[in-house]
Amino acid sequence: MKKFLGFLLAVLLILGLSSFAADHFRADLYRLAIQFETERAGLIAKSEHIHSHTYYYLERSDTPAKETIILLHGFSADKYNWLRFAQAIPDHYQIIAMDLLGHGEHSIDLQQDYHIETQVAYLHAFLSRKFNTPLHLVGNSMGGAIASLYAAKYPDQVKSLTLISPAGVHTIPSVMENMLENKQVNPLIADSIEQFYQVVDFVMEDPPYIPTSVLKVQAELAVHRVALNHKIFTDIREDLHKNLQQNFRLIQAPTLIIWGQQDRVINAENLELYADLIPNATTRLLQGIGHLAMLETPAVTASAFLKHADHSLKSVH
C-alpha cells in the first residue's frame, strides 16, 4: 500500500511539474504549435507593404499552382483559423490566408475605419496588385460579408465564392443578437481569460482539441485587443443598417453557402434568405456544427469547397 501511495504521489508530482512547465513556457509552445500546423499546410508567413497599408498573410507558394484561393477569417480571428482547412486542400491550389484590417499581426489602431466597405477596398488593393486572373474567394462570418461584397463589386475577379456562416443577412435573429438586444455581455468579446474560454464554447458546437497552454495564449492575445475588438464590432454592427446585402444580387460567381445548424452567432435559418439574394447559389447545412465549420469540421468543409470549385471550373469550360 505504501509503495502504491508513493507511486501515486510521484505521478502527481510529474503531472504537476509538466503542467507548470507547459504554463510557464506557453508562449513558446504556442509558437511551436502554430509553426507545426502552418508547415503541415505548406504555408509560409509573409508581409507586404502596398500604398499606406501593410498586409500580413500566409501563402503556399512552393508549388506550381493552377488555381488560387483567398481565405478571409471572421471577427476577432486571424489567418491561422484556416490552417486545418488548408491542410485538406491539394497542392495544385495556391492559398492566401489574410489578416484582415485590425486583426492578427495588425497593430492596435482605434482611429482606423473597420467597416465592411473599407475592408473590401483594403482587400482589393492587395489582390489587384498581386493577381491578374480570377480567384476562388472563401469567407467566414465577417469575412463572408467582405467576400460577398467583393464578389458583387468586382465580379470579373472572382471565379467561385464560398461563404461559411456569413454575416450580411440577419433577418432571423440569433442567440447572440437576442443577447445584445437585451443588453447582455457581448459573447464574442473577452475582457478576461475566463471569458475567452466562454467565447470559444459559444462560437463552436464541436471545437477541435486545443492544448490548454495554447488556448491560454490565444486568450491573452484576445484580452490585449479588447478595446480594438469593441471598435471593430461597432463598425460591423453599423454596417447591418446600410442594406449592403442588396449588393449581393450583383454576384455573378457560382456561390456555395455552408452553415452550421447550431450556429449561435448568426442564425442558420438565414441560410436560404442569403441564398435567395445570390443568383446561382447552392447551400449546405451541417448538423452538429456551430459558427466555425472550417475549424470544427475542416475536412468536410474543404471537401465541399473543392467540389464546388471543381464544378465552377467545369461550368466555365
Side-chain angles (χ1 to χ4, degrees), residues 14-134:
I14 292 171
L15 290 175
L17 290 173
S18 298
S19 178
F20 171 79
D23 185 67
H24 184 73
F25 296 105
R26 61 185 180 276
D28 295 323
L29 292 171
Y30 173 78
R31 284 191 292 271
L32 287 172
I34 290 295
Q35 180 181 349
F36 174 74
E37 295 287 351
T38 302
E39 290 177 354
R40 281 189 65 188
L43 299 173
I44 301 171
K46 295 186 176 182
S47 64
E48 192 167 338
H49 194 78
I50 299 174
H51 303 311
S52 60
H53 287 296
T54 300
Y55 292 81
Y56 302 95
Y57 58 97
L58 300 174
E59 181 176 24
R60 179 192 282 172
S61 57
D62 293 336
T63 56
K66 297 179 180 179
E67 301 292 330
T68 300
I69 313 168
I70 307 300
L71 303 174
L72 307 178
H73 61 75
F75 167 73
S76 78
D78 60 30
K79 56 186 176 290
Y80 294 113
N81 266 32
W82 297 102
L83 292 179
R84 297 288 176 87
F85 176 92
Q87 289 168 19
I89 301 297
D91 288 344
H92 64 269
Y93 277 95
Q94 158 72 301
I95 295 174
I96 300 282
M98 307 283 300
D99 271 344
L100 292 167
L101 273 176
H103 297 77
E105 295 186 63
H106 286 281
S107 60
I108 296 174
D109 183 357
L110 300 180
Q111 305 306 313
Q112 172 67 49
D113 174 358
Y114 298 105
H115 288 94
I116 300 299
E117 292 167 301
T118 302
Q119 296 277 12
V120 168
Y122 171 81
L123 181 63
H124 181 250
F126 177 78
L127 297 183
S128 61
R129 170 84 167 263
K130 200 168 177 67
F131 301 101
N132 56 16
T133 57

Side-chain angles (χ1 to χ4, degrees), residues 141-142 145 165-189 202-203 233 236-241 245 259 262-271 273-274 291:
S141 192
M142 177 192 76
S165 292
V169 177
H170 302 257
T171 304
I172 302 171
S174 64
V175 173
M176 182 192 75
E177 287 159 342
N178 287 330
M179 291 175 67
L180 295 176
E181 186 69 23
N182 293 321
K183 310 298 182 184
Q184 297 182 42
V185 172
N186 189 327
L188 297 187
I189 299 178
F202 187 84
V203 297
F233 191 85
I236 296 171
R237 292 286 289 180
E238 289 177 0
D239 289 334
L240 300 182
H241 303 291
Q245 70 273 18
W259 221 301
Q262 278 64 49
D263 191 341
R264 288 175 282 269
V265 179
I266 308 174
N267 198 321
E269 292 182 34
N270 290 295
L271 173 58
L273 299 175
Y274 210 118
H291 191 59

Side-chain angles (χ1 to χ4, degrees), residues 234-304:
T234 297
D235 284 359
I236 296 171
R237 292 286 289 180
E238 289 177 0
D239 289 334
L240 300 182
H241 303 291
K242 296 179 180 178
N243 292 320
L244 293 178
Q245 70 273 18
Q246 296 307 315
N247 293 284
F248 299 169
R249 300 181 188 278
L250 302 175
I251 294 172
Q252 297 178 17
T255 301
L256 170 65
I257 308 176
I258 302 171
W259 221 301
Q261 186 165 25
Q262 278 64 49
D263 191 341
R264 288 175 282 269
V265 179
I266 308 174
N267 198 321
E269 292 182 34
N270 290 295
L271 173 58
E272 296 301 332
L273 299 175
Y274 210 118
D276 286 345
L277 292 172
I278 303 175
N280 199 21
T282 57
T283 64
R284 180 161 182 183
L285 186 65
L286 302 179
Q287 303 289 335
I289 298 299
H291 191 59
L292 305 179
M294 73 286 186
L295 276 171
E296 298 176 63
T297 180
V300 170
T301 308
S303 177

